[in-house]
Each structure stands twice: as structure tokens, then as C-alpha cells.
Amino acid sequence: MKNNRNQALIDKLTQLKKERNAVILAHNYQLGEVQDIADFVGDSLDLSRKAAKTSAEVIVFCGVLFMAETASILCPDKIVLLPEINAGCPLADMATVKKLKEEKKKHLNPYVICYVNSSAEVKAESDICCTSANAIKIVKKLNKTKEILFIPDQHLGHYVSSQLNKNLVLWHGYCPTHVRILPEDIIRLKAEHPQAKVMVHPECTPEVISLADEVQSTVGMCKFAKETEAPEIIVGTELGIIHRLRKENPEKRFFPATEQAICPDMKLITLKKVVWSLEKMQFQVKVPTEIANRARRAVDKMLELG
Ligand code: CIZ
């Protein structure tokens, strides 16, 4: 019954994609039914870069608002659709331009690195952008005598700082989904599966990170899962990635660190909404040109170094 309904939606989507010359991008944290109909599944930056290279005129970004904004920044001539306008990112919302300007004053105009999980306006106020996949590489290459302010994720910032033994001024933001992963979850699963490797996202707390064998972005996790000989892996990140990991590695077993690690915003997008989005050409996300130009500088700087 469900399959018939989904098949009808998929057929409609295939037709709409052709009519609109559209490409569907899905973040690694999306529902399985959305990942399965996407042209590309990946992290936010990879997806936007892929979109910029395609000849598609319309990008349906199945993710959260800052990701659709990043696509708009990198593909200013394309129409970017976000199937659910309420899909935001509480971590990104923890840094505002007003607060950033205040902080810049307090620290006498520091060099600002913003994690990709930030609004277009905040990117426009930053010197360079980074992702969880390249944050260490970027910070390592910076040769700054002035203070470096890392926004908005304190845990990613702390992880980078500890790996490089470099002082960073940290913002107090955090991802509410990743902090739901607790050290005791990892300890319990390790006891239950003593052979399993533990991989966690750098948005997790330092206590969780200290228990991991691997600290990886979502792209890094997919790569590690493919390459490792370990038959079992405990996964400390948003649950959506388990779908992709199991699909790509059917011979391996993946254990989510906790069933609580669900991002409610990511889960707002469904197959049905993706079809609706392309049918109605809603919701269009367009970063105003002046902001997009300044934000692109921070993204380009990252691409140059990373
Ligand atoms: O860069 C991304 O898409 C995010 C937010 C996380 C990751 O590790 O992929």
C-alpha cells in the first residue's frame, strides 16, 4: 500500500524534475525516503558545489535553511527550493549579526571563522567559513597573530583547538541534537559490542569525543565505514545517516549511539513535500546579492585553503 503511494509520488517527481530541469539534493541527515529519491546525498558544502556544476536550473535542497542559503550563495543564477520553510537550524540561530558585532568589538576585531551551520548574514560578517570536514585543515593553515573567534559551535571549536593545540575564542553555541548523545550511551554500547569501532561527530561534547576511535564529519563517516575492516560501528551523530551507512555497507552493522539523536528540523522534509515543492516551486530561498557577495568571499576563502 505504502509502496504504491510512494511509487506514484516518485513517478510524479520524475516528471516534474524533467519539466523544471531540476536536481534534488539531500543531506545525510534526511529521511531515508528522501535520500532514496535524491540525485546526490552528502554534506551541505559538497551538495552545493555539485549543484553549481550541474546544468540544472532548479535546485531542490532537502536539508535546513542555512544549507539552501549556501546553495543560493554558490549558485546565484539558479532557483533554490527548500521544501519546508520551517526547517531551520537552532545551532545556526545561536549566532546573530548583532551578537557577532558585539563580540568583535570585545575582542578588538578578531579573525572570524564561521562553521557552515550559520546564516548567510553571519557568513557575510565572517572572514572565512569551514565545515566539520575541513575545520582542522583550515585553522592549521591560518597564520594569524590576532585572536581567532570560532562561531557558533563550541564543541567543534573545542575539538579543533585541542587537536592543534591552538587557542580559539569559542562562541557558546551547540547542536541540541548532538548534545543528546551522552558518554553513558557510548560506554553501554561499547560493553555490548566490544569489537565495534566508535565514530562520532565533532559537534558532540568533549566527553563523548574522548570515547571515540574516530571523530568525523558525515562525509568522513561514510568514507571510514567503507574503508574500515571493523564489521560493527557505533555511530554518534544524527540518526538519518544510518540509512545511508546501511545501504552502502550491507555487510556491516551500525548501532546509533542513541535513538534520541534526531534533528526535528531535518525530519520536516518528506517525499510528499519534495514533490509539492517542485510542483508549486516553493519555498524559494534567495540570499540578497549584497549579502551573498560578502558571504561568498568567506566560502571562497575556505575553498582556497581547504
Ligand atoms: O556540513 C554539513 O553538512 C554538516 C552540518 C555536517 C556534516 O558533518 O556533514
Side-chain angles (χ1 to χ4, degrees), residues 10-259:
I10 292 168
D11 291 345
K12 192 164 177 186
L13 187 63
T14 309
Q15 185 197 333
L16 283 166
K17 267 176 64 182
K18 242 193 236 156
E19 282 170 20
R20 310 269 199 242
N21 186 16
V23 64
I24 317 254
L25 309 180
H27 191 267
N28 289 320
Y29 295 155
Q30 286 289 289
L31 288 172
E33 66 176 24
V34 175
Q35 294 189 31
D36 289 344
I37 50 86
D39 297 296
F40 301 109
V41 180
D43 74 0
S44 58
L45 180 71
D46 254 11
L47 291 174
S48 294
R49 292 175 81 187
K50 284 215 170 77
K53 280 191 207 146
T54 71
S55 57
E57 291 163 72
V58 177
I59 300 168
V60 185
F61 209 119
C62 305
V64 295
L65 181 61
F66 80 82
M67 298 179 179
E69 285 185 339
T70 308
S72 169
I73 292 164
L74 293 181
C75 318
D77 301 328
K78 300 190 185 207
I79 296 174
V80 179
L81 302 176
L82 183 64
E84 168 56 67
I85 202 61
N86 293 311
C89 171
L91 167 60
D93 294 344
M94 288 175 196
T96 60
V97 170
K98 184 170 174 279
K99 271 208 239 162
L100 176 54
K101 283 185 173 165
E102 285 166 11
E103 211 60 18
K104 276 182 173 182
K105 250 194 211 153
K106 218 159 86 188
H107 292 277
L108 307 175
N109 196 25
Y111 190 82
V112 180
I113 307 182
C114 71
Y115 185 30
V116 69
N117 296 42
S118 53
S119 69
E121 286 91 341
V122 165
K123 286 188 179 75
E125 280 299 318
S126 303
D127 295 293
I128 190 166
C129 187
C130 75
T131 69
S132 41
N134 62 23
I136 291 183
K137 197 167 168 191
I138 299 279
V139 175
K140 198 174 179 176
K141 282 193 181 168
L142 292 178
N143 197 6
K144 299 288 159 200
T145 44
K146 57 183 178 178
E147 278 191 302
I148 298 176
L149 173 61
F150 189 97
I151 65 171
D153 191 278
Q154 61 181 294
H155 299 312
L156 174 62
H158 177 272
Y159 176 65
V160 172
S161 157
S162 68
Q163 291 304 293
L164 298 175
N165 204 8
K166 196 161 179 164
N167 255 340
L168 300 176
V169 180
L170 303 180
W171 196 265
H172 292 295
Y174 61 91
C175 165
T177 300
H178 281 91
V179 301
R180 255 179 254 133
I181 300 169
L182 303 176
E184 46 268 42
D185 295 324
I186 307 286
I187 292 166
R188 180 181 44 80
L189 280 165
K190 270 173 90 160
E192 285 171 15
H193 307 283
Q195 295 204 47
K197 289 274 180 209
V198 179
M199 64 179 183
V200 306
H201 197 274
E203 288 176 27
C204 290
T205 63
E207 294 74 22
V208 167
I209 287 179
S210 70
L211 296 168
D213 299 299
E214 288 288 321
V215 182
Q216 297 285 354
S217 67
T218 59
V219 168
M221 285 184 178
C222 294
K223 190 166 179 281
F224 175 75
K226 260 188 202 157
E227 290 171 359
T228 182
E229 287 184 359
E232 299 186 329
I233 304 177
I234 296 163
V235 184
T237 192
E238 210 279 340
L239 281 183
I241 199 170
I242 299 289
H243 178 79
R244 177 170 171 188
L245 292 171
R246 287 185 178 147
K247 200 169 158 182
E248 292 181 350
N249 308 277
E251 74 294 357
K252 293 180 182 163
R253 295 179 76 202
F254 297 94
F255 306 104
T258 165
E259 297 292 333

